[in-house]
């Protein structure tokens, strides 16, 4: 039994399972269920309308992050449904992929909800992947990185194709979901810590909690393919992956500087870059590669941010009490 290229596996026959971790991710995803409409945006609307609460730099930071994520969520949904799902034939992994696809729909809905409640111009927000160079470069990089698996004639048979597939999975899970989302997460959560746009900040916290599971699942798929096909994990291929991750960190650093040129009350853009370097090392280690940057985490509070078990005061909002997944220790 293998995770890909197992034509003998009937994709409809989920029991008995081979990859129990995949089932765990599915259950954790379900336990984390949420929708954007459950989070109050009332204070955000007041702050957004007020001429004094937010300065122009904070407004730029908010708009750029909404602009990046609004289209990035659809891009990731398309990757899952149109490409990854086709090649990962194992039924329990496919069950998780369907769950992930649903969560991406929730995330897409989050940005529709933010645009609606704040009264933003959708043409401005949804065109930033074309009009803002630092966003366009990230999106183009991922599209280029994951194009093999979108080729309708692509199959995962044979050493070279398995390597291509692994390369694209790393581009999609480790780089897109694991690096390109994180300067934005840190910025929006830093803003929330300063009591600004707390509703949007909370939306980002829930998205980040989901993404940390997506990333953990993706890394387990990657590590399983490596373990089942050890001959593809050559020194040369490892160097290629490290180079891609370094390039991604550069692009994410450029995005951080572009989105937050003047810093955020006590935090400067260089610290966002340091944070991206810190998490890139965690990603490298997670897929069995040596770390590159050796940076301290400049935002230790980020590692708590995915843990929404908090004795949170939900009394002002309509959020119902969710079961809390204990499986969320991994990411930071
Ligand atoms: Fe997402
Ligand atoms: Mn995701």
């Amino acid at each position: 039994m293998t995770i890909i290229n197992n034509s003998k596996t009937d994709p409809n026959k989920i029991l008995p399972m081979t990859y129990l971790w995949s089932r765990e991710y599915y259950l954790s995803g379900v336990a984390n269920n949420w929708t954007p409409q459950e989070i109050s945006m009332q204070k955000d609307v007041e702050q957004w309308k007020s001429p004094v609460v937010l300065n122009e730099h904070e407004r730029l930071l908010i708009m750029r992050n909404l602009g990046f994520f609004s289209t990035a969520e659809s891009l990731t949904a398309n990757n899952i449904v149109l490409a990854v799902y086709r090649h990962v034939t194992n039924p329990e992994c496919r069950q998780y992929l369907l769950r992930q696809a649903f969560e991406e729909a929730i995330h897409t809905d989050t940005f529709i909800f933010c645009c609606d409640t704040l009264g933003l111009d959708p043409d401005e927000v949804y065109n930033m992947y074309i009009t803002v160079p630092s966003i366009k470069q990230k999106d183009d990089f991922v599209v280029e990185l994951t194009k093999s698996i979108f080729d309708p004639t692509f199959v995962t048979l044979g050493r070279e194709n398995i390597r291509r597939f692994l390369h694209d999975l790393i581009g999609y899970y480790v780089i897109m979901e694991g690096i390109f989302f994180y300067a934005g997460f840190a910025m929006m959560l830093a803003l929330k810590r300063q009591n600004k746009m707390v509703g949007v900040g909370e939306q980002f916290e829930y998205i980040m909690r989901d993404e940390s599971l997506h990333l953990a699942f993706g890394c387990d798929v990657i590590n399983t393919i490596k373990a089942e096909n050890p001959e593809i994990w050559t020194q040369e291929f490892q160097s290629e992956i490290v180079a891609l991750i370094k390039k991604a960190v550069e692009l994410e650093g450029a995005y951080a500087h572009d989105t937050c040129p003047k810093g955020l009350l006590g935090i400067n853009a260089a610290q966002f870059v340091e944070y991206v370097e810190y998490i890139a090392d965690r990603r490298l280690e997670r897929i069995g590669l040596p770390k590159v940057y050796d940076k301290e985490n400049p935002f230790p509070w980020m590692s708590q941010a995915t843990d929404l078990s908090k004795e949170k005061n939900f009394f002002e909002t309509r959020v119902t009490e969710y079961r809390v997944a204990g499986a969320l220790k991994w990411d930071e």
Side-chain angles (χ1 to χ4, degrees), residues 73 76-77 80 100 103-104 107 172-173 177 181 207 210-211 214-215:
E73 297 292 0
T76 60
I80 289 291
Q100 184 185 348
E103 288 169 12
E104 302 304 357
H107 302 170
Y172 169 62
Y173 278 107
E177 298 201 285
F181 283 8
I207 290 179
D210 292 343
E211 295 303 342
H214 302 173
L215 175 58

Side-chain angles (χ1 to χ4, degrees), residues 40 99 244 247 276 300:
S40 171
R99 173 71 209 182
L244 285 173
K247 178 68 188 165
V276 170

Side-chain angles (χ1 to χ4, degrees), residues 151-316:
D151 175 351
T153 64
F154 179 76
V155 288
T156 53
L157 286 169
R159 191 176 291 191
E160 201 41 54
N161 286 334
I162 295 173
R163 193 180 287 132
R164 282 321 296 172
F165 187 55
L166 197 63
H167 165 278
D168 286 23
L169 282 180
I170 291 169
Y172 169 62
Y173 278 107
V174 176
I175 291 178
M176 183 60 162
E177 298 201 285
I179 293 174
F180 283 174
F181 283 8
Y182 277 79
F185 285 155
M187 285 178 204
M188 296 308 290
L189 269 53
L191 201 64
K192 177 175 181 274
R193 283 165 64 81
Q194 298 173 4
N195 265 315
K196 289 177 178 164
M197 303 305 273
V198 292
V200 179
E202 200 176 316
Q203 310 270 6
F204 271 78
E205 285 178 343
Y206 281 101
I207 290 179
M208 188 165 122
R209 184 173 70 171
D210 292 343
E211 295 303 342
S212 69
L213 279 184
H214 302 173
L215 175 58
F217 168 83
C219 288
D220 280 4
V221 172
I222 288 161
N223 288 331
T224 302
I225 294 174
K226 275 171 55 186
E228 290 175 350
N229 306 275
E231 70 285 353
I232 65 170
W233 194 242
T234 58
Q235 205 54 52
E236 190 193 358
F237 183 53
Q238 292 182 39
S239 307
E240 185 189 337
I241 296 302
V242 171
L244 285 173
I245 289 176
K246 283 174 157 173
K247 178 68 188 165
V249 168
E250 246 174 65
L251 291 173
E252 188 63 354
Y255 173 84
H257 279 286
D258 190 43
T259 302
C260 187
K262 302 280 181 212
L264 248 195
L265 214 67
I267 301 175
N268 55 42
Q271 286 172 287
F272 287 111
V273 175
E274 238 168 78
Y275 177 68
V276 170
E277 293 175 346
Y278 168 79
I279 60 129
D281 274 347
R282 305 283 80 74
R283 311 300 181 245
L284 285 161
E285 289 176 320
R286 179 79 177 190
I287 57 170
L289 292 168
K291 57 184 176 180
V292 170
Y293 302 98
D294 229 347
K295 291 280 162 65
E296 293 279 312
N297 183 358
F299 310 134
W301 44 267
M302 280 295 283
S303 53
Q304 271 92 57
T306 50
D307 180 15
L308 298 190
S309 60
K310 48 178 90 162
E311 302 76 57
K312 192 171 161 54
N313 251 324
F314 277 134
F315 61 85
E316 282 180 321

